[in-house]
Amino acid sequence: MAAPGWAPPRLDDFILTERLGSGTYATVYKAYRKKNSREVVAIKCVNKKTLNKVSVENLLTEIEILKQIRHPHIVELKDFQWDRENIYLIMEFCAGGDLSRFIRSKRMLPENVTRIFLQQLACALQFLHERNISHLDLKPQNILLSSLDMPHLKLADFGFAQHMSPWDEQQVLKGSPLYMAPEMVCSRQYDSSVDLWSVGVILYEALFGRPPFASKSFSELEEKIRSNRPIEIPGRPQLSPDCRDLVQRLLVRDPLQRISFPEFFTHPFVDLEHMPSSDSLERAASLVTEAVQKDPTDPETALSLYCKALEYFVPALHYETDARRKEAIRKKVNQYISRAEELKVVVSSNNRALLQQGHSGRDILKEMAKDKPRLYAALDVASAAVAKEEAGADDAETLDLYQQSLGELLLMLAAEPVGRRRELLHVEIKTLMGRAEYLKKQMKMKVSRLKAEAMDEEPMTQSVQSSCSLQ
């Protein structure tokens, strides 16, 4: 609440209470609407006397951008007013505070929670990117949480945001140094990809509890950012390969080598396609309907559809808040996992028969390839992959062997003249591609099953917030 002797500004339709925070030219208050709903809002108060030309431009930009956009992961501007002393931005109230405070309270966030937050941030950035809007000041302090029990990210503070075209050449320094891209710190031309660097810094801080360039002074920070030394990713906590890859590709100093927006939005760790949303359950149910139809006559296609459905059921469980509906979804998921396991036995049996049939063709091809050592070696690798699969070896290792052999065999096929050997080689490549795709599906199914089983073990009342507590 307000300190003694201090009072917030007065606004006709609202009661302003505690101060939530303050910045260079604005102070934000919690407030209540006087009439009807007693709606809680946040009011950003800007004292006109503090405004210079740049801050006026920033404020007008913020109002202009927020007025035209509505998105579940961007703070809503409900209205704006002014009087002789102040300009007031009436904003959506976010009870969970900002992401910086949240990370500090937990010391660091588990990867699975970080991923959900990253998906929400990426969803907001995709919406802005489609409209050629760049934020230019992404940092945990400008990312708010809707609440503390079921937190959803809300991107805020668009004071530095602007519409950007690919040909824009920006020279004005904007943003916060700790999260600022090297091309901005070095006063070089920059474009919207500076936001991707900032996402990398935020992701790093969430996972490890500190930003990659934590420094005691601006000069030390500037030196670290300007350095050409690769950014080291700590060994603990251990990250998944996809998570580590994304951090490394975001934190690339050269903007031309940094991951692009399309690559970021489709990266396996971001995976916006499977982000928990209101559509997740509907998509899962649609795939299950197809799977049930295929089940009696085409077990391999049915298995594939059940696996794809599981990839949507897991985010649907994350998204659902009603305990009864969540329990009903879990029961269905367990049924589909059981059926998928039964189909896997049937499909595996059929595939073993196909593998045996493929041996003779491969043996003939190897006899015909004795005069081509490179082709013979690639077929040897393929035989090793098949042997590993038949022995039930690790899927990842087997898949790697299949991919190695295919890489070589496709080159051989391009150089092979028309004839019987080319025909056999073409058949072999198709067979090996089928095996590789089958293994990929198996690996995806395992991951989905483990995620679903992990969620099945959680208490029904457990929310994302409780998931955030350190293990």
Side-chain angles (χ1 to χ4, degrees):
M1 299 297 292
W6 174 91
R10 293 180 177 275
L11 197 57
D12 287 345
D13 297 331
F14 297 90
I15 301 170
L16 279 69
T17 60
E18 62 186 293
R19 182 166 65 174
L20 299 175
S22 59
T24 307
Y25 62 92
T27 304
V28 183
Y29 301 93
K30 184 177 180 180
Y32 297 87
R33 201 181 288 274
K34 289 179 181 178
K35 297 178 182 177
N36 303 327
S37 64
R38 296 279 291 174
E39 178 189 15
V40 182
V41 296
I43 297 183
K44 186 173 184 175
C45 301
V46 183
N47 189 314
K48 290 180 178 179
K49 292 178 183 177
T50 66
L51 294 180
N52 56 29
K53 183 181 178 183
V54 173
S55 56
V56 168
E57 288 175 359
N58 288 345
L59 182 62
L60 292 175
T61 298
E62 182 169 16
I63 292 171
E64 178 198 358
I65 287 176
L66 287 175
K67 273 184 67 179
Q68 62 180 289
I69 58 178
R70 288 288 181 275
H71 190 273
H73 296 297
I74 297 176
V75 170
E76 180 187 350
L77 173 65
K78 295 176 176 292
D79 193 10
F80 68 97
Q81 299 178 22
W82 62 90
D83 56 28
R84 286 192 303 178
E85 294 183 351
N86 298 304
I87 299 170
Y88 306 94
L89 275 63
I90 294 95
M91 316 285 293
E92 173 185 5
F93 176 68
C94 295
D98 65 49
L99 183 60
S100 177
R101 188 185 309 168
F102 189 76
I103 293 171
R104 285 200 308 273
S105 71
K106 306 296 176 185
R107 198 168 65 85
M108 62 183 71
L109 305 184
E111 183 181 316
N112 64 323
V113 175
T114 300
R115 185 183 192 185
I116 293 173
F117 283 165
L118 179 68
Q119 286 177 319
Q120 294 172 359
L121 177 57
C123 189
L125 290 176
Q126 185 178 53
F127 178 84
L128 295 173
H129 186 68
E130 288 167 353
R131 289 155 181 77
N132 290 321
I133 297 172
S134 299
H135 191 281
L136 304 183
D137 194 19
L138 291 177
K139 56 184 178 180
Q141 293 85 347
N142 286 342
I143 298 172
L144 306 182
L145 302 182
S146 59
S147 65
L148 282 175
D149 56 343
M150 285 292 289
H152 294 280
L153 293 194
K154 300 274 187 175
L155 187 53
D157 204 335
F158 282 72
F160 288 143
Q162 60 185 263
H163 292 276
M164 294 186 78
S165 302
W167 56 85
D168 279 345
E169 295 181 0
Q170 303 298 330
Q171 297 293 339
V172 181
L173 194 64
K174 298 184 176 184
S176 303
L178 205 55
Y179 303 90
M180 201 181 284
E183 59 267 34
M184 296 180 83
V185 174
C186 299
S187 301
R188 296 198 299 263
Q189 293 176 5
Y190 62 86
D191 59 21
S192 58
S193 69
V194 297
D195 280 347
L196 291 171
W197 171 275
S198 301
V199 171
V201 180
I202 294 165
L203 178 57
Y204 186 106
E205 184 172 348
L207 292 166
F208 301 113
R210 57 180 176 81
F213 296 131
S215 306
K216 296 176 181 177
S217 65
F218 179 77
S219 59
E220 182 186 338
L221 171 64
E222 187 178 19
E223 183 183 344
K224 287 180 180 179
I225 293 175
R226 287 178 182 271
S227 167
N228 290 322
R229 288 193 300 273
I231 294 158
E232 293 183 12
I233 309 296
R236 290 285 182 272
Q238 191 170 357
L239 304 180
S240 68
D242 284 341
C243 181
R244 176 174 286 271
D245 178 71
L246 181 61
V247 175
Q248 289 173 329
R249 295 182 67 191
L250 285 165
L251 294 177
V252 173
R253 288 182 173 85
D254 182 354
L256 297 177
Q257 301 300 317
R258 192 176 302 149
I259 191 171
S260 67
F261 276 100
E263 290 169 335
F264 171 65
F265 296 135
T266 57
H267 191 278
F269 188 70
V270 179
D271 191 18
L272 286 180
E273 176 68 20
H274 298 100
M275 172 183 171
S277 72
S278 57
D279 297 331
S280 299
L281 186 58
E282 185 180 340
R283 291 183 178 187
S286 175
L287 287 163
V288 163
T289 301
E290 287 185 65
V292 170
Q293 290 171 351
K294 294 285 185 182
D295 201 318
T297 57
D298 190 350
E300 187 164 352
T301 301
L303 175 61
S304 178
L305 288 166
Y306 279 125
C307 292
K308 288 179 181 177
L310 284 172
E311 290 180 40
Y312 288 104
F313 271 123
V314 172
L317 279 167
H318 273 294
Y319 187 81
E320 185 57 66
T321 56
D322 182 270
R324 287 186 179 181
R325 287 199 294 268
K326 200 162 192 168
E327 180 61 23
I329 294 171
R330 280 182 171 151
K331 286 181 179 177
K332 288 289 184 184
V333 168
N334 287 332
Q335 289 176 19
Y336 301 139
I337 287 174
S338 297
R339 182 54 188 155
E341 290 292 347
E342 292 169 2
L343 286 174
K344 184 180 173 183
V345 173
V346 174
V347 172
S348 295
S349 176
N350 293 342
N351 275 303
R352 276 195 293 273
L354 288 173
L355 283 173
Q356 291 300 322
Q357 291 173 19
H359 277 306
S360 57
R362 190 174 305 109
D363 290 341
I364 293 169
L365 186 55
K366 286 175 80 171
E367 281 295 320
M368 297 173 72
K370 284 185 175 179
D371 62 328
K372 286 202 169 186
R374 190 174 171 187
L375 175 56
Y376 193 90
L379 291 168
D380 248 358
V381 174
S383 296
V386 171
K388 274 187 173 290
E389 187 177 351
E390 288 177 327
D394 179 73
D395 286 346
E397 291 180 12
T398 307
L399 179 60
D400 186 53
L401 287 175
Y402 274 127
Q403 289 174 333
Q404 284 179 39
S405 65
L406 280 166
E408 283 290 299
L409 292 175
L410 285 166
L411 291 173
M412 299 292 103
L413 182 66
E416 184 67 31
V418 175
R420 178 62 176 156
R421 188 165 66 184
R422 181 183 173 85
E423 290 174 10
L424 286 172
L425 182 55
H426 191 268
V427 171
E428 177 66 7
I429 287 172
K430 283 182 68 176
T431 302
L432 295 175
M433 281 182 167
R435 303 310 315 145
E437 286 303 311
Y438 172 74
L439 279 180
K440 284 180 185 176
K441 288 175 186 175
Q442 295 305 301
M443 291 166 71
K444 274 192 172 183
M445 180 183 167
K446 284 179 184 176
V447 171
S448 297
R449 187 180 69 239
L450 288 171
K451 286 180 180 177
E453 288 172 353
M455 291 204 68
D456 197 40
E457 291 168 4
E458 293 176 358
M460 290 303 301
T461 56
Q462 189 169 8
S463 67
V464 175
Q465 161 63 11
S466 56
S467 299
C468 288
S469 59
L470 292 174
Q471 301 301 311

